[in-house]
Amino acid sequence: MRKNSIKNTRINGEVQRVLAEIIRGEIKDPRISPWTSVVNVEVAPDLKSCKAWISVLGGEEARNSTLQGLKSAEGFIRRQLAKLVNLRNTPEITFVMDQSIEYGVNMSRRIDEVIAQDDERAGDKCE
């Protein structure tokens, strides 16, 4: 199976959906933030490994504790994934922290600040 095949894309989407359900509803670890989302999943073509990009809303401490909690629950998550998704091999999951959402929010805030400053300057020139 090739990396960008339709089958691989479908597997990525299904694994992402199931991982999100497992993290949201079945893990009871208090270190894992309730504001955790699975942004993207990339399953290797041989179905042996999987990278899951995780986004956590909150500070650096919340991100670190969530990542530790997910790494410690990796065996449970993999077992649940094997039960819920029928694959030849159950991939070994590697969690990667994705900060693109936070980056986007930060850039949006900066743009708003620049627009507000520009409006103030325009108002000063008109007077």
Side-chain angles (χ1 to χ4, degrees):
M1 177 172 57
R2 289 182 310 216
K3 186 174 181 178
N4 294 327
S5 69
I6 294 172
K7 183 178 179 182
N8 196 328
T9 304
R10 265 194 251 140
I11 289 172
N12 289 343
E14 183 67 13
V15 169
Q16 180 179 352
R17 184 186 65 77
V18 171
L19 270 180
E21 287 177 8
I22 293 170
I23 291 170
R24 182 177 55 244
E26 297 184 27
I27 297 179
K28 304 292 187 236
D29 193 333
R31 293 178 291 182
I32 298 174
S33 170
W35 301 103
T36 303
S37 60
V38 181
V39 177
N40 192 18
V41 170
E42 190 175 293
V43 179
D46 63 356
L47 304 176
K48 300 265 186 198
S49 63
C50 165
K51 274 189 180 179
W53 281 270
I54 304 297
S55 178
V56 178
L57 191 63
E60 188 69 29
E61 186 179 320
R63 285 193 290 273
N64 290 337
S65 66
T66 298
L67 200 55
Q68 286 176 345
L70 288 173
K71 285 182 180 178
S72 70
E74 197 172 308
F76 172 78
I77 294 170
R78 190 173 181 202
R79 189 168 52 249
Q80 293 300 104
L81 186 65
K83 285 181 186 177
L84 298 171
V85 179
N86 186 17
L87 294 174
R88 186 172 356 114
N89 297 316
T90 303
E92 191 167 325
I93 304 165
T94 304
F95 293 103
V96 179
M97 192 56 64
D98 181 46
Q99 297 175 346
S100 62
I101 294 174
E102 183 180 335
Y103 178 77
V105 168
N106 188 25
M107 290 306 293
S108 178
R109 183 177 46 80
R110 287 183 178 184
I111 290 170
D112 291 343
E113 288 172 0
V114 168
I115 290 172
Q117 289 174 356
D118 195 39
D119 288 345
E120 286 177 12
R121 288 184 190 143
D124 291 344
K125 288 181 181 179
C126 291
E127 293 176 2

